[in-house]
Amino acid sequence: MFGFFEDLLELGTCVCGLIFTFFCVGPILIAVGIVYLILASNRDRENALTAYNNVVNDWNNQYLSAFSGATFTFSPGGAASVSLGWSKSGTGYQGITDPDKDGVPQYAAAAYASAPVSTSPWRTYSLIATAPNGYTTNLTIPRGSVIEYATVTQSKSSLNCRMPSDCDSYSGSSYTGCIQKQDCYSLCSTYMGTMNGESCSYPAVLDALCIRVKDSGTGMVLDSQNSRYSDIGCFYENKFSVGIYTPLVRSKVYSTYSMADFRAGMYQIPNGVLVRESNDPYIYASWSTQGSYTFGTSTKTKLTIGISTLIAGVILTILIIFLIWCIVKSCSKKKRSTVRHAFQLLPLHLPSNRRHLLPLPY
């Protein structure tokens, strides 16, 4: 008997908790909707895209055709020189990862690239560049820009991994996408690295070179005076270093021969050498988005989310208020009916001078 009442009490508690939860969801959705509507007034994405569009227009109208007329030969110091071939992609978004491509321009990327390069570590590399006007320059790559063996530090965004608590604030498909990323601690351990905050430092070896050049008007030069970039490389996620590295455990050095052999002179740059023009939109996007290649959520998407959640919150809140009102009204009617019934059962033979003591019906 008591067990039945305990179950009934627990059921009532659950029902009250459910009603309370639904009552809270409405205001929460309203608050989220208001936040998104406020965020929609932020023009950072539009301003960033305006600047990016200007870079793409300059590339299409000026720099692409000029760059296509140059020639490059890479001299790895102590090994045979390698000619770089012209490579141009089809028109596309070129690495921009925005789910909403509203306002994102498309263009054709271009670069000069080589096959894998055999070389000897600790040598001086140089690039023989011939500008479209026929002027040839020998560009020496500073030794500080190319280190064959290094400790590389990457953030979780550039590693595309997640910290243990990163997915706690997500739900639905966003949570699924987050949880599918590899755990940063696990990935860093795989790389034989060490976590420091949200970054992993691991041993790495040279995998490719990317050299940034520009046309000075008289000839091709290294773009070493550009205040945007810290070095003459191509990518923010690589700190604009010329060297592009791969974790040691993934490299040929680790899988096919020892570090002693590597230091003794056995080495190959597996993915070769790449030369890109300083005004390449891809380089600008890498810098302006800090390696994320996304300009953020568009105003249109923010407005859609804000209005949708606001309407859903208002409707849900109204429904919950109506439900509570119906419950209160039903209880009130039941109480009035009970009192009226009790009054009808009272004896009517009381003296007239005591009938004023009777409770009045509602």
Side-chain angles (χ1 to χ4, degrees):
M1 185 70 177
F2 288 106
F4 170 76
F5 284 112
E6 288 178 358
D7 292 341
L8 191 63
L9 180 62
E10 185 177 351
L11 177 61
T13 302
C14 292
V15 171
C16 291
L18 185 63
I19 293 174
F20 179 76
T21 299
F22 275 110
F23 186 74
C24 291
V25 168
I28 290 173
L29 288 176
I30 292 173
V32 171
I34 292 173
V35 168
Y36 267 96
L37 291 177
I38 293 173
L39 290 175
S41 64
N42 187 309
R43 304 291 298 175
D44 286 351
R45 183 180 192 271
E46 284 68 24
N47 294 337
L49 277 176
T50 297
Y52 182 60
N53 271 277
N54 291 336
V55 172
V56 170
N57 289 334
D58 290 343
W59 172 254
N60 289 332
N61 299 330
Q62 179 181 356
Y63 297 110
L64 175 59
S65 58
F67 187 49
S68 65
T71 60
F72 295 91
T73 300
F74 179 70
S75 178
S81 296
V82 178
S83 296
L84 278 65
W86 173 250
S87 175
K88 182 180 176 182
S89 72
T91 300
Y93 292 109
Q94 310 303 342
I96 299 301
T97 59
D98 286 27
D100 183 356
K101 297 296 192 299
D102 184 29
V104 179
Q106 299 185 60
Y107 67 96
Y112 290 88
S114 78
V117 176
S118 297
T119 183
S120 300
W122 327 119
R123 300 296 181 90
T124 299
Y125 300 150
S126 63
L127 188 68
I128 303 169
T130 302
N133 61 8
Y135 188 83
T136 299
T137 51
N138 193 328
L139 310 177
T140 300
I141 311 302
R143 278 300 308 159
S145 297
V146 183
I147 302 173
E148 285 79 6
Y149 178 78
T151 298
V152 172
T153 299
Q154 284 187 277
S155 65
K156 67 174 183 180
S157 59
S158 60
L159 286 170
N160 194 30
C161 61
R162 60 176 175 83
M163 298 298 286
S165 61
D166 281 355
C167 302
D168 293 349
S169 59
Y170 293 107
S171 61
S173 59
S174 297
Y175 176 80
T176 303
C178 178
I179 204 69
Q180 286 176 346
K181 292 182 178 180
Q182 187 170 353
D183 177 77
C184 290
Y185 285 94
S186 173
L187 181 61
C188 192
S189 176
T190 301
Y191 288 173
M192 301 191 300
T194 303
M195 287 295 297
N196 182 15
E198 295 188 346
S199 298
C200 174
S201 298
Y202 57 85
V205 293
L206 193 62
D207 184 64
L209 299 178
C210 188
I211 305 165
R212 196 178 69 253
V213 301
K214 68 176 183 178
D215 191 342
S216 66
T218 56
M220 303 302 295
V221 297
L222 297 176
D223 186 32
S224 56
Q225 302 300 317
N226 197 319
S227 60
R228 284 179 185 167
Y229 313 120
S230 56
D231 206 341
I232 56 173
C234 307
F235 310 113
Y236 175 91
E237 53 270 39
N238 200 46
K239 299 180 180 178
F240 292 102
S241 165
V242 171
I244 299 173
Y245 298 89
T246 189
L248 174 62
V249 294
R250 290 186 171 182
S251 68
K252 284 188 175 182
V253 174
Y254 188 80
S255 60
T256 61
Y257 52 88
S258 68
M259 284 302 299
D261 293 331
F262 168 71
R263 293 180 183 277
M266 290 179 59
Y267 191 68
Q268 184 182 62
I269 303 177
N271 286 308
V273 180
L274 199 66
V275 174
R276 304 190 84 135
E277 213 275 338
S278 179
N279 296 284
D280 187 333
Y282 195 97
I283 297 176
Y284 176 84
S286 177
W287 169 78
S288 64
T289 65
Q290 297 186 345
S292 68
Y293 299 95
T294 176
F295 294 99
T297 307
S298 69
T299 298
K300 180 181 178 181
T301 300
K302 290 176 185 175
L303 285 172
T304 301
I305 295 174
I307 293 172
S308 300
T309 53
L310 187 61
I311 292 174
V314 170
I315 292 174
L316 187 57
T317 301
I318 291 173
L319 289 175
I320 294 299
I321 291 174
F322 179 72
L323 176 62
I324 293 174
W325 178 79
C326 289
I327 294 173
V328 172
K329 189 172 181 64
S330 176
C331 292
S332 178
K333 284 183 178 180
K334 185 175 181 181
K335 180 178 179 182
R336 286 199 299 269
S337 176
T338 302
V339 172
R340 189 177 292 110
H341 181 67
F343 177 74
Q344 291 172 352
L345 295 177
L346 287 173
L348 299 178
H349 60 273
L350 289 174
S352 60
N353 63 342
R354 298 189 63 187
R355 287 189 179 177
H356 68 279
L357 298 176
L358 293 176
L360 294 176
Y362 288 91

